[in-house]
Amino acid sequence: MGAYQHILLAVDFSGHGGTVAQRAKDLAEKYQAKLSVIHVLDNIPMPDTGYGTVIPLDKDSCYELLEAEKVKLMQIGDQLGVAQVNRWMVWGAPKQEIVELAERERVDLIVVGSHGRHGLSLLLGSTANSVLHYARCDVMAIRLLNG
Ligand code: AMP
């Protein structure tokens, strides 16, 4: 049995995601581990009413955005050969949702890019940094130099 049994790839669909995805796939093959993939929806506008999360005002454009994100997740899942049940699209703050899913699904390695949409000027992007701090399993940040 390999060192890792369940690897979680976090994807934000930024330009260099392919490098990160390929590394996660290689690791899953090397360790014969289960591979899961998560995308957190954090860019779909949700009005803050003070009563928690509610349906967005413009339902049609929100639905289109959701569908587009889902298609991208399915494409990555197909490319990597990830089983349908291991493809996750959740709503919320990426740093929190990635760590929570990893705990719930007994992931032992999370793979993220060192930068995504949020952190090109930093050594480590904000999501990557947070996951590294709060995850209770190993985290591999794939170093990405350029956007
Ligand atoms: P950041 O720290 O936000 O620049 O992003 C670094 C890495 O965190 C990305 O390369 C992804 O692996 C992961 N990440 C960022 N945002 C998301 C998201 N919305 N859903 C899933 N993973 C994400």
Side-chain angles (χ1 to χ4, degrees):
M1 193 177 287
Y4 295 115
Q5 293 170 46
H6 190 180
I7 296 173
L8 176 63
L9 163 68
V11 290
D12 64 355
F13 306 138
S14 57
H16 34 230
T19 311
V20 183
Q22 189 55 49
R23 190 60 63 88
K25 185 175 196 274
D26 292 346
L27 285 164
E29 283 172 3
K30 177 176 164 56
Y31 290 109
Q32 298 191 319
K34 176 163 107 178
L35 181 60
S36 294
V37 58
I38 180 173
H39 174 63
V40 185
L41 295 163
D42 65 336
N43 59 349
I44 294 183
M46 301 288 287
D48 181 8
T49 60
Y51 297 100
T53 306
V54 295
I55 301 295
L57 297 175
D58 182 351
K59 279 191 272 181
D60 286 346
S61 59
C62 178
Y63 181 75
E64 279 168 22
L65 269 168
L66 267 178
E67 281 303 302
E69 302 281 276
K70 192 172 157 194
V71 166
K72 287 187 228 167
L73 182 65
M74 290 301 137
Q75 281 170 346
I76 288 189
D78 289 346
Q79 277 164 23
L80 302 180
V82 175
Q84 293 278 346
V85 290
N86 300 327
R87 302 175 188 184
W88 300 89
M89 196 165 88
V90 298
W91 220 304
K95 56 188 180 189
Q96 187 177 332
E97 300 299 332
I98 293 166
V99 169
E100 281 181 13
L101 182 79
E103 275 175 39
R104 225 172 38 239
E105 292 297 308
R106 298 176 184 277
V107 164
D108 43 24
L109 176 66
I110 301 171
V111 178
V112 292
S114 58
H115 303 100
R117 291 174 313 195
H118 306 117
L120 288 173
S121 60
L122 305 169
L123 183 60
L124 204 57
S126 57
T127 310
N129 202 12
S130 249
V131 170
L132 204 54
H133 275 95
Y134 292 107
R136 293 161 89 172
C137 62
D138 288 359
V139 177
M140 182 177 286
I142 307 302
R143 188 169 173 83
L144 301 166
L145 295 177
N146 302 309

